[in-house]
Amino acid sequence: MHRYANRRAVAVVAIGVLGIGGCSAEGGNEAPPAAADRGPITLATGKDTTGTMQAQLDRWNAEHPNEKVTLVELPESADQQRQQFIQNARTKSDAYTVVNLDVVWVAEFAANRWIDELPAGKVPVDKMIPAVVDTAKYFNKLYAVPYTTNGGLLFYRKDLLDAAGAAAPTTWAQLKDACAKVKALPEGKDLSCYAGQFDKYEGLTVNFAEAVDSAGGAIVDANGKPTVNTSEAKQGLGFLADSFKDGTIAKSAISFKEEDGRREFQAGKLIFHRQWPYEWDLANKTDGSSKVAGKFAVAPLPGLSGPGKSSLGGLDLAISAFGKHKATALDFISFFAGEDNARKNLEATSNAPAYASLYQDTGLQQKYPYLDTLRQSILNAAPRPKVVAYGDVTAVIQENAYAAITGTKPVDTALADMQAGLDKAVATK
């Protein structure tokens, strides 16, 4: 973030303003895991779309035959994952031991005592990017360990932009201009310009937040007060709504989650795609699954008047308050989130590691030339509101952003309704 210190302050203030009243005691064990509490455990996580997670578990299982980890895959949709995690916690089920949480859920789960506080000196966070570690904290106490971080990138067809004499865009206007130039080419006339994640789920909250932040706005201000009924937010949401109207954003993208857009980009149907870095490895496969291998590059997300801002994404590993064999779980998290496994995960999936050193590794830079761009995306990223009642906040955002981009509400009305909904969520939580 160019205003990173301010953004961090916003996140911290938002915890106090939006979250203190939401603290509840639904049960759970706050004590560190007992040393003798060992045995088989489960890892509950969203669907492994890379197909590589089991191999990581196999390495652990081979060395710990009496403490094996069983993978429990939840749906691909972040919202559905959250629902299942919460259902498991509210029933105090021990079906999940280690839970792989979206970074914006940690505050909610910690406040409700659904996950245990972790002993900071026994988990590998000291070499991680500080802003990434902050996603795993609640009131400055560590409740999780980053497994991956994430910054949004603009994937683009470099071969077609080169043929059209266009450069990677840094502004929204340049993106539209580059699209027009590419579509004027015989090989580009049938392609869609741009897609992101615009289905009514957490991905839409991310894309909306990035549009607002990239226009100089913010979802909450330095005092934790929602600020979406502003000229900056209007420019951000207006860009999305206008782009659907004029065809800059593919009409089909209204139902896109991450994988829908990835498949379209790999099929050679998109010029630009807003996506997380995991797409790099999959889109470069030479097994026939990708038509764009070696033909694309990445750039920072564009903004209103210059490079935009990504939302800070990622997954944090936590121990369920109701799980069994927590000593094993703690050791497993140290392995699974450790630097060695982070390197292997990067090499297998192109997912963003939490460790600063891996972005500066010469060998990795040669294999993944986007690493410096990704590092800057993460360092410049703006966090979504770090709140206990995040489910209420994201629901209000999704409902009104979706209404604006589908044309069922004018942008001004959608933002006014969003402001009112967020104000209510703040006041009642």
Side-chain angles (χ1 to χ4, degrees):
M1 283 173 276
H2 297 303
R3 291 167 289 184
Y4 185 68
N6 290 338
R7 295 295 185 188
R8 285 185 62 188
V10 167
V12 172
V13 171
I15 295 173
V17 174
L18 300 180
I20 290 176
C23 295
S24 65
E26 295 195 17
N29 177 16
E30 293 183 333
D37 190 11
R38 314 193 76 79
I41 62 173
T42 59
L43 168 65
T45 185
K47 182 175 175 59
D48 177 20
T49 57
T50 68
T52 62
M53 192 170 284
Q54 186 59 54
Q56 297 176 49
L57 300 186
D58 288 344
R59 291 198 296 274
W60 167 273
N61 289 343
E63 296 181 6
H64 302 84
N66 297 320
E67 301 174 88
K68 288 187 176 181
V69 180
T70 299
L71 181 65
V72 179
E73 287 191 85
L74 305 183
E76 182 182 319
S77 166
D79 294 339
Q80 293 177 20
Q81 292 168 32
R82 178 178 170 274
Q83 289 171 3
Q84 291 195 25
F85 280 133
I86 290 176
Q87 180 181 13
N88 182 82
R90 285 179 172 166
T91 59
K92 300 183 180 181
S93 169
D94 63 2
Y96 306 159
T97 314
V98 176
V99 290
N100 206 10
L101 303 176
D102 188 300
V103 293
V104 294
W105 303 335
V106 172
E108 175 183 21
F109 279 62
N112 284 292
R113 301 182 184 179
W114 294 335
I115 54 177
D116 287 341
E117 182 183 345
L118 300 180
K122 296 185 179 180
V123 287
V125 296
D126 57 317
K127 295 182 180 179
M128 293 182 177
I129 298 169
V132 176
V133 177
D134 282 346
T135 69
K137 292 181 178 180
Y138 179 65
F139 280 101
N140 289 321
K141 294 181 179 180
L142 191 70
Y143 282 87
V145 179
Y147 170 58
T148 61
T149 185
N150 240 344
L153 298 171
L154 182 69
F155 285 73
Y156 68 94
R157 286 291 301 276
K158 187 176 186 303
D159 59 331
L160 297 179
L161 264 66
D162 287 348
T170 60
T171 68
W172 296 332
Q174 290 173 2
L175 182 145
K176 293 191 176 191
D177 181 64
C179 278
K181 289 179 178 178
V182 169
K183 288 178 72 66
L185 301 172
E187 60 268 42
K189 63 183 179 67
D190 295 326
L191 302 187
S192 295
C193 174
Y194 178 81
Q197 295 77 46
F198 298 108
D199 198 0
K200 192 188 291 185
Y201 80 117
E202 184 61 25
L204 177 57
T205 297
V206 168
N207 280 248
F208 167 77
E210 289 174 343
V212 172
D213 287 317
S214 296
I219 294 177
V220 295
D221 66 15
N223 296 313
K225 177 178 172 56
T227 54
V228 294
N229 199 11
T230 63
S231 60
E232 294 85 0
K234 181 177 179 179
Q235 288 175 309
L237 184 56
F239 163 70
L240 299 179
D242 291 344
S243 295
F244 267 101
K245 289 178 183 177
D246 66 21
T248 299
I249 299 179
K251 301 300 183 186
S252 57
I254 196 62
S255 63
F256 277 13
K257 297 183 175 69
E258 282 84 354
E259 284 294 274
D260 304 297
R262 177 186 69 79
R263 287 187 284 266
E264 288 287 289
F265 187 76
Q266 284 186 213
K269 297 179 180 180
L270 288 174
I271 301 169
F272 294 103
H273 188 213
R274 182 266 171 228
Q275 182 61 292
W276 305 110
Y278 83 96
E279 183 165 278
W280 176 275
D281 186 68
L282 295 171
N284 264 319
K285 286 191 177 296
T286 56
D287 59 2
S289 61
S290 176
K291 294 183 178 180
V292 299
K295 298 179 180 180
F296 67 91
V298 298
L301 297 176
L304 175 63
S305 56
K309 289 182 179 292
S310 168
S311 287
L312 184 62
L315 295 170
D316 292 347
L317 296 162
I319 297 177
S320 168
F322 314 103
K324 296 179 179 178
H325 303 146
K326 293 183 181 181
T328 294
L330 186 63
D331 287 348
F332 169 72
I333 287 177
S334 294
F335 157 79
F336 206 52
E339 186 169 359
D340 182 63
N341 198 56
R343 175 186 290 271
K344 289 182 171 65
N345 191 24
L346 169 61
E347 292 174 334
T349 67
S350 68
N351 273 324
Y355 293 88
S357 61
L358 296 181
Y359 293 88
Q360 300 167 342
D361 184 282
T362 303
L364 291 174
Q365 287 176 340
Q366 292 176 347
K367 186 175 182 180
Y368 300 104
Y370 67 86
L371 276 180
D372 189 59
T373 301
L374 175 58
R375 176 177 173 273
Q376 290 303 317
S377 173
I378 293 168
L379 292 178
N380 293 336
R384 286 160 284 169
K386 191 175 181 181
V387 299
V388 173
Y390 188 79
D392 295 338
V393 169
T394 191
V396 169
I397 292 172
Q398 292 171 34
E399 184 68 29
N400 288 285
Y402 192 83
I405 64 179
T406 56
T408 60
K409 281 186 185 181
V411 169
D412 285 342
T413 302
L415 290 173
D417 291 349
M418 188 186 299
Q419 180 75 38
L422 293 178
D423 285 339
K424 182 178 179 181
V426 170
T428 57
K429 297 297 178 182

